[in-house]
């Protein structure tokens, strides 16, 4: 499936909505035409969409109420349970990133909030941000299955191991640290980094 958000805050989708992966109230099958997604708040007013990210079995929406000063909120949709809001403890999301099973957000302070697929079992969990070392601010993420890559505003690359059941922290990728990286991309078990001179470096399964 594909989902897109318009400049006026509407969201549309096409493709498979099996298991309600796009949104449960839509037709539980394949959407053959562009279909609007409407999510309503407790007062039956439609949310304004800000962004969306799609994974293999989940969809992550960034929405806000249509009232001045409304704080953006994250809605997590998974085929194994009803949609729920993520508790990010007052942080303000800025950008969404999606992998097969892991999603993440960069907030307005450059903090990184990581959402593993296991959150469907603990929907009330409170998420706190991770920060890059030495006051680097994250501007881009690549969400792979067992690790995450972060690009900082200074052109530096950091990596976090997600494969172990232990505290997550980002450490610099030594091989790239003397280079100026301008873009990263990754999915599943591999990722890439592009330098300002046009060189590309790869890491992971080939």
């Amino acid at each position: 499936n594909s989902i897109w958000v318009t400049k006026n805050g509407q969201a549309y989708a096409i493709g498979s909505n099996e298991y309600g992966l796009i949104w449960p109230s839509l037709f539980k099958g394949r959407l053959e035409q562009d279909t609007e997604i409407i999510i309503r708040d407790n007062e039956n007013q439609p949310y304004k969409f800000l962004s969306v990210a799609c994974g293999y079995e989940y969809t992550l929406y960034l929405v806000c109420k249509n009232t001045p000063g409304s704080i953006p909120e994250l809605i997590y949709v998974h085929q194994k349970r009803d949609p729920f809001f993520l508790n990010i403890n007052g942080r303000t999301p800025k950008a969404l990133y999606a992998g097969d099973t892991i999603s993440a957000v960069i907030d307005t302070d450059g903090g990184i909030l990581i959402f593993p697929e296991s959150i469907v079992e603990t929907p009330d969990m409170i998420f706190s941000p991770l920060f890059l070392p030495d006051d680097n601010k994250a501007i881009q993420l690549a969400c792979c299955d067992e690790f995450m890559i972060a690009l900082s505003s200074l052109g530096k690359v950091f990596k976090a191991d997600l494969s172990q059941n232990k505290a997550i922290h980002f450490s610099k990728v030594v091989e790239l640290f003397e280079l100026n990286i301008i873009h990263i991309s990754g999915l599943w078990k591999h990722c890439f980094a592009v330098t300002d001179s046009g060189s590309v470096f790869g890491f992971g399964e080939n």
Side-chain angles (χ1 to χ4, degrees):
N1 61 61
S2 294
I3 305 172
W4 59 98
V5 175
T6 68
K7 290 182 178 179
N8 64 357
Q10 293 174 284
Y12 294 86
I14 195 167
S16 176
N17 188 42
E18 190 176 5
Y19 308 111
L21 193 56
I22 296 172
W23 193 253
S25 63
L26 296 177
F27 170 67
K28 299 283 187 17
R30 185 169 184 82
L31 306 176
E32 299 290 351
Q33 298 180 339
D34 300 355
T35 304
E36 185 174 6
I37 306 165
I38 298 177
I39 303 176
R40 298 185 181 275
D41 61 21
N42 293 334
E43 298 176 351
N44 203 35
Q45 297 300 310
Y47 279 101
K48 178 181 179 180
F49 290 87
L50 303 176
S51 187
V52 62
C54 298
Y56 184 65
E57 293 184 338
Y58 70 88
T59 304
L60 182 64
Y61 291 102
L62 180 61
V63 302
C64 70
K65 294 184 177 181
N66 277 300
T67 54
S70 294
I71 299 174
E73 299 178 84
L74 292 168
I75 300 177
Y76 194 85
V77 182
H78 195 279
Q79 64 177 29
K80 293 182 180 179
R81 67 172 304 127
D82 291 335
F84 58 94
F85 287 93
L86 296 177
N87 187 345
I88 56 175
N89 200 25
R91 310 297 297 188
T92 303
K94 182 179 180 181
L96 311 185
Y97 296 88
D100 279 350
T101 59
I102 294 170
S103 55
V105 164
I106 295 177
D107 67 21
T108 51
D109 294 321
I112 301 168
L113 296 125
I114 300 174
F115 311 120
E117 196 174 31
S118 60
I119 61 176
V120 297
E121 302 167 4
T122 55
D124 296 328
M125 179 178 177
I126 300 175
F127 291 90
S128 298
L130 302 172
F131 290 93
L132 301 179
D134 303 323
D135 294 325
N136 280 269
K137 302 294 184 183
I139 59 170
Q140 199 173 78
L141 302 173
C143 302
C144 299
D145 284 3
E146 296 183 347
F147 62 90
M148 181 171 292
I149 300 294
L151 175 63
S152 82
S153 59
L154 300 178
K156 305 304 178 184
V157 178
F158 298 83
K159 178 176 176 286
D161 184 1
L162 307 178
S163 63
Q164 306 295 323
N165 187 21
K166 60 182 181 181
I168 300 171
H169 70 277
F170 284 88
S171 56
K172 65 181 180 181
V173 177
V174 177
E175 297 87 342
L176 301 178
F177 221 67
E178 297 303 319
L179 303 174
N180 184 31
I181 305 300
I182 60 172
H183 189 76
I184 58 173
S185 180
L187 190 68
W188 195 43
K189 293 184 178 181
H190 65 279
C191 65
F192 300 96
V194 181
T195 71
D196 58 353
S197 63
S199 297
V200 182
F201 291 82
F203 171 82
E205 288 283 353
N206 189 32

